Amino acid sequence: MMAGVYLHIPFCKQACSYCNFHFSTSLRLKDALLNALHDEIARRAGELNGQTVRSVYFGGGTPSLLTSAEINAIWTRLARHLTIEADAEVTLEANPDDLTADTLDQLGDTPVNRLSIGIQSFHASDLGFMNRAHNATQARGVLDLIRTSGWDRVTVDLIYGSPTLSHDAWQANLDLIAAYDIPHLSAYQLTVEPRTALAARVRQGKQPMMPDEDVIHQFRMLMAWSTDHGYEHYEISNLARPGHRAIHNSNYWNRTEYLGLGPSAHSLTGRTRQWNIASNPRYIKMMSDGLAIDASETLSDTDIFNETVMTRLRLSDGLELTELAALDASFATHFVQAIEPFVERGLVVQTGSHFTLTRDGRCLADHIASECFVTD
């Protein structure tokens, strides 16, 4: 069995307008929090029951604010308590303004072998709207730096559906990814998350959002671009050159077990999902007292069925009916009946016991999945 590890590094230079992840713009508690993280690794490693770790993901927040020495110290603690595969995928999320020739050299002296760069857009209007810490020059410059640095395992994040993003600008963003031959792209639709600056502006009527038909058009542009440039659109928001699919993200979609460490981090082990307290001071205090777990839940067969339908239909590999039948034969029967109208409308392709979304279906992926859920 293989497993994953996620480490939440909850520090950022500034707050992006759309982000509702847990973070702090103050580094005052950084040393204490990293010490608490070391303790959590030691105390919770056993939850993976000796499984070999195939992927390690430094997320956040902005883990590129860590020094190479801090990354190596975390790795030493992980390696002491977990069995990590020799060629494990080790990803570090990074912002363009944190990456220089020197920092890339220093990262080369750590176990990190894959960079996830949060560019989001190459256009100043979008970056200003999102309140990103980097500018358009840095967004383009980091790709020049990567090209000459020798890093060949790289993914870039882009956002579409922003009210400041024209169709031409979105096409230009995508074409830059292809021009630099970036091997993996994560393209996310802008969503209005609660308790964000963007949500407040929308609620106050100060910020109109892009019309749904324009958002769908930009998603269709993404699908066409992937075909034209040889990228596998292997998950709704993820595209890769052959051989460059993200191992860690694929763990989530395939319901592989993973251990989440750090404040607000979630874990899935067996049928249990649990999550840590989303507060840096309380995380540090709770770890000093024992553990920082805020809550947990035991997943029912219905929960697992609904999660499987949601995640598998997002994948180009699709959903295999036998996996649902393994939970309970009635689930497979329910799914076939629920999905049939979408097959008839040409939104889903059925090949024997296998189901995949068409391009039109991908535009309605969440709706199709929710219509197939079992509700108690």
Side-chain angles (χ1 to χ4, degrees):
M1 295 286 289
M2 296 291 184
V5 172
Y6 173 82
L7 301 130
H8 191 78
I9 310 300
F11 301 106
C12 290
K13 290 180 180 177
Q14 62 191 51
C16 299
S17 63
Y18 58 87
C19 180
N20 70 342
F21 292 165
H22 168 66
F23 67 92
S24 170
T25 56
S26 170
L27 297 180
R28 183 176 59 86
L29 296 177
K30 181 182 173 187
D31 289 345
L33 189 138
L34 292 179
N35 287 334
L37 180 61
H38 289 186
D39 288 344
E40 187 181 14
I41 292 169
R43 293 177 182 179
R44 296 189 60 204
E47 293 177 25
L48 291 180
N49 294 315
Q51 294 181 74
T52 299
V53 173
R54 183 72 184 89
S55 69
V56 176
Y57 195 98
F58 289 81
T62 312
S64 53
L65 293 175
L66 296 178
T67 66
S68 58
E70 289 166 338
I71 293 170
N72 283 331
I74 293 170
W75 184 264
T76 297
R77 182 58 64 108
L78 287 171
R80 183 180 303 163
H81 295 280
L82 293 166
T83 302
I84 304 175
E85 203 169 63
D87 62 346
E89 176 190 88
V90 184
T91 303
L92 179 89
E93 288 184 352
N95 282 345
D97 46 304
D98 292 328
L99 296 180
T100 66
D102 285 343
T103 58
L104 286 175
D105 284 345
Q106 292 166 18
L107 284 173
D109 294 326
T110 73
V112 173
N113 55 31
R114 183 173 181 268
L115 295 175
S116 176
I117 307 175
I119 290 178
Q120 315 309 355
S121 178
F122 296 98
H123 301 284
S125 57
D126 301 323
L127 297 173
F129 167 78
M130 298 178 202
N131 197 39
R132 295 292 291 170
H134 66 278
N135 58 40
T137 300
Q138 290 169 318
R140 179 70 176 265
V142 75
L143 297 190
D144 289 320
L145 186 61
I146 290 295
R147 173 181 273 176
T148 59
S149 67
W151 284 82
D152 57 0
R153 300 177 72 177
V154 176
T155 179
V156 165
D157 285 359
L158 293 180
I159 289 177
Y160 65 93
S162 164
T164 54
L165 182 68
S166 69
H167 296 335
D168 286 345
W170 176 231
Q171 187 66 56
N173 281 347
L174 293 173
D175 288 344
L176 273 173
I177 298 299
Y180 280 88
D181 198 24
I182 300 300
H184 190 281
L185 168 66
S186 293
Y188 299 108
Q189 177 187 333
L190 178 68
T191 55
V192 181
E193 301 291 348
R195 299 183 299 279
T196 62
L198 177 58
R201 295 206 303 267
V202 170
R203 185 174 61 251
Q204 295 162 6
K206 297 178 180 179
Q207 180 59 66
M209 296 300 292
M210 179 180 284
D212 288 346
E213 58 268 26
D214 288 336
V215 175
I216 292 172
H217 180 73
Q218 291 193 352
F219 180 65
R220 289 188 180 278
M221 291 172 65
L222 176 68
M223 289 190 286
W225 173 87
S226 68
T227 299
D228 292 343
H229 294 280
Y231 284 80
E232 298 177 308
H233 195 168
Y234 69 100
E235 192 271 340
I236 292 289
S237 300
N238 287 270
L239 309 94
R241 297 287 196 196
H244 286 274
R245 293 188 183 191
I247 294 172
H248 190 81
N249 290 0
S250 296
N251 284 346
Y252 295 146
W253 305 318
N254 290 306
R255 302 196 75 259
T256 301
E257 294 191 8
Y258 61 92
L259 183 62
L261 303 163
S264 80
H266 287 55
S267 302
L268 176 65
T269 52
R271 285 177 171 263
T272 301
R273 177 173 283 111
Q274 58 190 26
W275 49 97
N276 284 350
I277 193 74
S279 163
N280 290 358
R282 292 178 65 190
Y283 171 81
I284 294 166
K285 176 65 168 58
M286 289 175 72
M287 281 309 308
S288 71
D289 294 338
L291 289 176
I293 294 171
D294 187 32
S296 65
E297 60 179 344
T298 300
L299 302 178
S300 66
D301 284 347
T302 298
D303 294 328
I304 295 172
F305 167 82
N306 290 342
E307 288 185 6
T308 301
V309 169
M310 174 64 78
T311 55
R312 296 296 195 278
L313 286 180
R314 291 181 64 90
L315 299 175
S316 62
D317 293 340
L319 183 150
E320 177 56 48
L321 198 61
T322 54
E323 186 174 7
L324 303 181
L327 283 171
D328 190 296
S330 65
F331 284 139
T333 301
H334 167 85
F335 177 79
V336 170
Q337 293 172 345
I339 203 75
E340 183 177 5
F342 300 107
V343 174
E344 293 175 350
R345 290 168 56 188
L347 300 174
V348 177
V349 172
Q350 179 180 358
T351 307
S353 61
H354 199 77
F355 297 82
T356 54
L357 298 182
T358 64
R359 283 197 171 191
D360 287 342
R362 286 186 159 213
C363 296
L364 299 168
D366 289 348
H367 169 70
I368 294 171
S370 65
E371 288 297 301
C372 297
F373 287 171
V374 171
T375 55
D376 294 330

